[in-house]
Amino acid sequence: MRYPDSAPCAPAAPARAFAALALFAGVTGPSPALAQTIDYSRAERFLTWNTERLIAGAEVAPNWMKTGDPDRFWYRNNTGSGYEFVLVNPATGSREPLFDHYRLAGAMSLANDTSYVPDKLPFSTFRFGDSEDEIEFAANSRRFTCDIARYACMVGDTLPSRVPYVESPDGRWEAFSHEHNLYVRPSGGGDSIQLTTDGEKYHAYGHNEPSPNQLRQGPGPRAPTLSWSPDSRYIAVSREDERDVEHMHYISYTPQRPRHFSQPYALPGDSVIPLPTVHIVALEEAEPTSGDGPALRAAANHRVEVAPTPHQLSFAGSAPDSAWSADGSRLHVNYFTRGSQRVFLAEIDPATGTSRVILGDSTQTFVSLGHRGGGSSGGTPSWHVSESGDDVIWWSERDGWGHLYRFDGEGNLKNRITSGPWVVGEVLHVDEARERIHFVARGREAGRNPYHAHLYRVGFDGSNLTLLTPEDANHEIVFSPSGGYFVDTYSRVDEAPVTVVRSAVDGRVVRELERADISRLEEVGFAPAEVFSAKARDGITDLYGVLYLPPDLDENASYPIISHIYPGPQVGSVGAWEFKGGGEDFALAQMGFVVVQIDHLGTPHRSKAFHDSYYGNFIDNGIPDHIAVIKQLAARYPFIDLDRVGIYGHSGGGFASTDAILRYPEFFKVAVSGAGNHDNRSYHIYWAEKYQGVMRTDSAGSDNFEASANKTYAANLEGKLLLMHGDMDDNVHPAMTVQVIDELIKANRDFDLIWAPDRAHGLNEPYFIRRRWDYFVRHLLGAEPPSQYEIVRPVG
C-alpha cells in the first residue's frame, strides 16, 4: 500500500506572487518566528517535481546492451541544462556519449521538418534496431528510425509496437497473452500461434482481468507473467482462478450515466479466495499452416500441483533468477500459504508437471523471503538453486535475524552462511564457479546508521565475508549481466548521490559516472534534512528518523510539529534512507512547521522481533513510538510546541493518522488522512491477513480485526480531522472511509471531508496537496490560508 508522496520529475512552476498571510490576532501565543507572512509559492518550489530538475547527475538507471559485451550499458543523464545519453564500458572504464546529440537533433529536424534541441531530445528511451547503429523511438506522436552512424532519420506515422512480448532465449519466438490465452509468434514477424484454448475471464493465462481503473481509462498493453526455459522448449505461465471470488464494486459518477465496475477482491474471512497456479506448456516444431514461416504447437499443457495449497506463488524473480536450471530440466517456485505463516520452495519437472518440496520456513507471525531496498519488505525472493541442484541458498529469519543458509537439494542444512545481530536484505548475484554470493545487508558496520545498505561478498561456506562498498552511506546496487561489475549509487539523507561502476571481485571503483550537483537547489534555499535517533516507547530500543526544520529557525520561538507517518509493517515512514532533495515535508517546513518521519517498532530492516512488534494488533500503527519520540525531540529542541502536534499520511498512513487522533486526542490535535485502510476487514487478504492474522470469530460474533478498526473509536474525536478518498480507489476501497464517516455522524462529531471523483488511490494532485497545507496552516498555525491558491504541476 505504499505510494510515493511526490510525483515524477517535471519542470518548475512559473514564478508568481507569493501568498502573504497574517496570523489571527486571537491565536494563543504567536511566536516571533511565525508572526510573519507565509509564502505558499516558496513552499511549492520544494515539491519533488520542482526540485528534481534542479539536481544534475543524481540518477543512473543502466540499460544493458544486448549485443557485444553484455556488461556495457547506456543511461540517460540529467545534465542540469537538459539530458544526455551515455554509453559505459566497464571493461575499459570508458564513459562517452552514446551518439552525437547535435547531429541526431539535426537529422531529426530534417526528417520531421521540426526543430529539435540537442540537449532536450523529445524521448527518454529507445530500442536498438538490427544493429547498434540504429535506434527506434517515439517522439511527437511519430515513429523515428535513426541511423546514428550516418545520422539519417526516417519518420513514420506508425508508432513502435507496445505489445509486451516476451522473447524466447533462442531469439526465435515471442510469447504473449491475448483474450485469456497464451500465444507465440515468430520474432521476425508472422502469424500468431495459439497455444492454449481453455483460458477464460477470471481464469486466464498470463495475467488477470484489468482493474476497474484500467478499464475506465483503457487498459492498454499489459506484460504477461510468463517465463521461457533457457532452452526455449517450455513456457511457464501463471494462471490464477478468481472465477468464484466475491467482487468489490465501484461507480464512476462523473459520466451522464454513471458507470459500474467490479473486480474479484478476497477479504479476510472469505472462504473462496484466488487460487494461483503455474502451467508448463511444452513446445515442439509444427508444420506451417500457411506461408513458409516457422511454426510451433503445444505438445503438452501441465497444470502444476503443489501442496499445501498456495496463497501466493512466484516462479520467477529469484536473485539471480535461478527459477529454471540452465538445461531446462527443472523449474523452481516459491509459494506462501494463507496468512503467510509458511513458505515453501518446490522443484518442478516441466516434462511431467510433477513437483516436490525442497524446503521451507514457518512462524507464528509472518514469513518473508528477504528485505528489499527502498524500505520495502518482501518482493524479489532471495533464494538461489545451483545448476547442479546440490546447493540451495535460502534467506531465513529462523534465528531472529535475516540471514543466509546453505541446503542441499533434499533440503538438508549444509551450513549457515551469515550470522550476527544484523540483517541480510537480498541476494543480488551468485557466482557458482567461485562459490561466492553477493548480497545487500544492513546494520553490520558499527557506528553507522543501521538502515544504510551495503554490498558484501561471502563464500558458500560462510568464509571470507568482505565489505565491497566501504563508504558510510546507503548504497543502491545493480549488477551487470555477467556479474563481473555493479553500478553503485550511494548517498545519505543529507549527502547527494555519487554513482560509480565497481568490480565485483573486490569493490574497486572502475569509473565514477556521476556526482550529483545540487548547487541550483541550494540557490533556492535548500537545506538538507537531519537524521536523528531517539528511544522507542520502551525507553530502550533505538529508533531513527528524519527531521525537517523551518528556514531561518528562531530557537526562541515556538513551532508546531507534524509527523508524516507510514506505519508499515512492510515499510517505514522514512522509506528509502537516501538523499532527500525535496518533497512535501520540505514544503511544510518552509511554511513554519517542524516535520518528522520515524521508523517505529513494527517496520522492517531490523530484527524479526522488531518487525513483529504489533503483529495481530493493527491499531498500534507505531503511534506510541511517535508520541515518545516527539516528546524527546521537544526536550532537545524547546522550540517544538507539544500543544500543537499534527499528523498526516496516505493509505496505511491515512489509517494511522486517523487512528492517532482518535485514540490519542490529548496529544494529536490535527490529522489529515488520505485513502486510509481504516478497517482491514475490507482490505485484501494478501496484506491484511499477513500482518493481522487469518480472521477468527468468537462465540459472541466478534473477530480479531474489530479492535483494530478506526470506526470503533470514532466517538473519541476531539481535534480536527480531514478525510480524503477517491471514489474509484480500487486498492483501498472508499467504503472504509465511508464507514468511518458513518460512525462519526452517529457520534455527533465534527470532521472535514474531501471526496475525489474518479480518482484512484494516489491522490497526489496539486489540489489535494494544497488542501493538506490549508488544513495545517488554519488549525496548527492559526492562520487563514490564501484563497484557492493554485499549485501548478509543470508539464514537460
Side-chain angles (χ1 to χ4, degrees):
M1 287 194 313
R2 179 71 169 180
Y3 285 81
D5 294 309
S6 52
C9 174
R16 300 191 304 280
F18 69 73
L21 307 175
L23 288 174
F24 283 147
V27 174
T28 303
S31 68
L34 296 180
Q36 58 183 329
T37 58
I38 299 172
D39 188 347
Y40 266 38
S41 65
R42 177 178 175 81
E44 183 182 357
R45 291 186 210 128
F46 286 85
L47 292 174
T48 303
W49 54 57
N50 289 326
T51 58
E52 279 188 342
R53 68 184 304 272
L54 299 178
I55 305 172
E59 182 179 1
V60 174
N63 298 273
W64 307 104
M65 305 293 280
K66 297 185 182 300
T67 58
D69 185 341
D71 290 334
R72 295 180 305 144
F73 63 93
W74 67 267
Y75 65 96
R76 184 173 182 252
N77 180 49
N78 183 348
T79 64
S81 60
Y83 292 89
E84 62 178 347
F85 291 82
V86 178
L87 178 65
V88 177
N89 187 343
T92 62
S94 64
R95 176 197 183 279
E96 59 188 10
L98 179 61
F99 46 73
D100 187 320
H101 292 66
Y102 289 90
R103 294 184 67 186
L104 181 59
M108 290 175 62
S109 300
L110 285 172
N112 201 36
D113 194 23
T114 304
S115 296
Y116 294 99
V117 179
D119 60 356
K120 294 181 175 62
L121 296 173
F123 61 94
S124 59
T125 189
F126 62 88
R127 66 186 186 191
F128 286 102
D130 294 334
S131 72
E132 292 180 8
D133 289 339
E134 182 179 274
I135 60 174
E136 185 181 82
F137 53 88
N140 305 117
S141 300
R142 306 294 299 278
R143 175 179 181 166
F144 283 79
T145 302
C146 295
D147 185 323
I148 54 174
R150 297 186 300 108
Y151 289 95
C153 293
M154 295 187 297
V155 180
D157 293 327
T158 304
L159 295 178
S161 171
R162 296 173 61 227
V163 176
Y165 299 105
V166 180
E167 188 175 67
S168 62
D170 62 12
R172 298 179 61 207
W173 302 97
E174 296 171 333
F176 62 99
S177 295
H178 175 65
E179 293 183 347
H180 316 309
N181 280 297
L182 179 66
Y183 290 76
V184 293
R185 73 170 191 179
S187 294
D191 294 336
S192 296
I193 303 164
Q194 187 169 349
L195 298 178
T196 66
T197 59
D198 60 335
E200 60 181 295
K201 191 173 186 178
Y202 304 127
H203 195 202
Y205 290 91
H207 49 61
N208 298 334
E209 288 299 298
S211 70
N213 279 296
Q214 288 173 329
L215 287 171
R216 183 173 61 86
Q217 299 165 358
R222 295 183 297 148
T225 304
L226 61 85
S227 176
W228 288 86
S229 64
D231 58 6
S232 302
R233 290 192 300 141
Y234 301 101
I235 299 176
V237 58
S238 69
R239 194 181 187 197
E240 188 163 53
D241 189 352
E242 300 179 297
R243 288 173 294 182
D244 296 320
V245 176
E246 287 198 53
H247 282 224
M248 292 287 257
H249 298 268
Y250 311 82
I251 297 178
S252 171
Y253 288 99
T254 55
Q256 291 298 321
R257 184 182 298 275
R259 297 178 63 195
H260 168 261
F261 302 88
S262 74
Q263 65 177 343
Y265 195 112
L267 300 178
D270 283 358
S271 59
V272 179
I273 65 174
L275 176 62
T277 60
V278 57
H279 283 244
I280 308 292
V281 179
L283 305 174
E284 66 180 15
E285 299 285 341
E287 289 295 326
T289 56
S290 64
D292 298 323
L296 281 182
R297 72 178 188 91
N301 179 1
H302 299 294
R303 169 178 161 153
V304 177
E305 302 289 347
V306 295
T309 301
H311 174 52
Q312 292 174 283
L313 183 150
S314 172
F315 59 85
S318 53
D321 188 358
S322 65
W324 284 100
S325 61
D327 62 2
S329 65
R330 302 186 309 274
L331 172 68
H332 302 99
V333 302
N334 68 265
Y335 58 97
F336 295 84
T337 58
R338 186 166 182 176
S340 298
Q341 292 183 320
R342 293 191 293 170
V343 65
F344 298 92
L345 179 67
E347 180 181 285
I348 297 167
D349 179 352
T352 64
T354 57
S355 70
R356 70 179 183 94
V357 170
I358 298 176
L359 57 88
D361 266 332
S362 64
T363 178
Q364 294 298 309
T365 57
F366 58 91
V367 287
S368 301
L369 274 180
H371 287 181
R372 297 194 69 190
S376 63
S377 175
T380 300
S382 282
W383 53 263
H384 178 91
V385 181
S386 68
E387 182 54 32
S388 67
D390 296 334
D391 285 301
V392 180
I393 310 301
W394 183 253
W395 188 98
S396 174
E397 292 179 299
R398 59 186 60 193
D399 78 339
W401 298 85
H403 280 295
L404 298 178
Y405 297 78
R406 182 189 184 193
F407 294 84
D408 66 20
E410 301 301 318
N412 301 305
L413 180 65
K414 284 186 171 182
N415 58 267
R416 288 194 62 150
I417 298 173
T418 62
S419 62
W422 47 279
V423 180
V424 173
E426 56 187 325
V427 173
L428 296 184
H429 179 71
V430 177
D431 183 340
E432 293 187 22
R434 296 179 176 85
E435 294 195 341
R436 292 175 177 173
I437 306 163
H438 291 83
F439 64 92
V440 169
R442 296 171 176 81
R444 183 177 182 271
E445 308 307 315
R448 295 189 177 185
N449 186 322
Y451 291 96
H452 284 170
H454 293 273
L455 185 73
Y456 297 84
R457 187 194 67 229
V458 69
F460 277 22
D461 60 359
S463 63
N464 300 317
L465 178 62
T466 305
L467 173 66
L468 298 180
T469 54
E471 296 84 1
D472 185 5
N474 184 69
H475 296 258
E476 293 288 336
I477 308 296
V478 181
F479 260 81
S480 69
S482 75
Y485 303 92
F486 61 92
V487 178
D488 174 17
T489 299
Y490 60 89
S491 70
R492 299 163 60 112
V493 167
D494 56 353
E495 291 183 7
V498 176
T499 301
V500 298
V501 178
R502 296 183 187 268
S503 165
V505 174
D506 53 12
R508 172 180 54 88
V509 174
V510 172
R511 174 72 189 242
E512 180 176 306
L513 299 178
E514 305 294 339
R515 186 171 292 268
D517 180 359
I518 63 170
S519 59
R520 291 198 302 157
L521 185 60
E522 291 172 330
E523 288 173 2
V524 300
F526 171 80
E530 299 179 9
V531 174
F532 68 88
S533 64
K535 296 299 181 182
R537 68 189 81 177
D538 59 9
I540 300 171
T541 306
D542 287 327
L543 300 179
Y544 293 79
V546 178
L547 195 64
Y548 305 82
L549 297 175
D552 305 317
L553 181 75
D554 182 351
E555 296 194 2
N556 295 314
S558 178
Y559 296 86
I561 185 168
I562 298 172
S563 181
H564 181 189
I565 188 171
Y566 188 85
Q570 83 281 16
V571 66
S573 297
V574 176
W577 281 83
E578 60 192 12
F579 179 66
K580 298 186 182 298
E584 192 165 354
D585 295 330
F586 282 102
L588 287 167
Q590 297 300 311
M591 292 184 281
F593 299 102
V594 175
V595 185
V596 64
Q597 294 174 303
I598 303 160
D599 276 0
H600 50 254
L601 291 172
T603 54
H605 300 313
R606 305 281 289 273
S607 69
K608 176 62 172 169
F610 188 103
H611 200 185
D612 283 349
S613 175
Y614 64 88
Y615 173 81
N617 183 31
F618 260 141
I619 201 67
D620 180 286
N621 273 317
I623 303 299
D625 294 321
H626 286 247
I627 294 172
V629 169
I630 290 171
K631 287 180 177 178
Q632 292 171 66
L633 290 174
R636 294 180 200 174
Y637 306 113
F639 53 79
I640 293 176
D641 185 353
L642 286 181
D643 290 327
R644 293 186 291 164
V645 181
I647 188 168
Y648 84 102
H650 184 78
S651 193
F655 170 37
S657 52
T658 301
D659 165 22
I661 202 167
L662 294 181
R663 295 201 308 123
Y664 301 94
E666 74 288 348
F667 191 79
F668 295 99
K669 302 304 191 296
V670 182
V672 179
S673 303
N677 52 312
H678 300 288
D679 184 346
N680 286 288
R681 288 174 292 193
S682 295
Y683 196 54
H684 65 65
I685 54 171
Y686 304 108
W687 192 85
E689 289 190 348
K690 179 174 183 177
Y691 298 115
Q692 181 69 14
V694 176
M695 182 178 285
R696 303 181 305 276
T697 304
D698 61 24
S699 58
S702 296
D703 61 66
N704 55 313
F705 280 68
E706 182 177 0
S708 291
N710 277 335
K711 64 185 181 184
T712 306
Y713 308 95
N716 294 348
L717 181 61
E718 295 178 11
K720 296 293 184 178
L721 170 63
L722 172 61
L723 299 167
M724 301 182 183
H725 216 127
D727 65 5
M728 283 297 296
D729 187 339
D730 52 17
N731 178 1
V732 176
H733 199 283
M736 285 191 256
T737 291
V738 172
Q739 292 161 9
V740 173
I741 292 169
D742 186 42
E743 294 300 322
L744 289 170
I745 291 172
K746 290 176 182 177
N748 195 34
R749 293 295 184 265
D750 292 341
F751 63 95
D752 293 287
L753 172 69
I754 296 176
W755 207 245
D758 275 349
R759 268 42 172 218
H761 189 57
L763 294 187
N764 194 46
E765 299 170 40
Y767 179 82
F768 305 111
I769 295 171
R770 192 264 292 177
R771 293 297 299 272
R772 278 196 289 269
W773 295 2
D774 290 351
Y775 210 73
F776 285 128
V777 165
R778 183 175 287 120
H779 298 299
L780 279 185
L781 285 181
E784 184 62 23
S787 177
Q788 301 182 55
Y789 180 88
E790 185 177 10
I791 296 173
V792 176
R793 179 177 176 176
V795 178

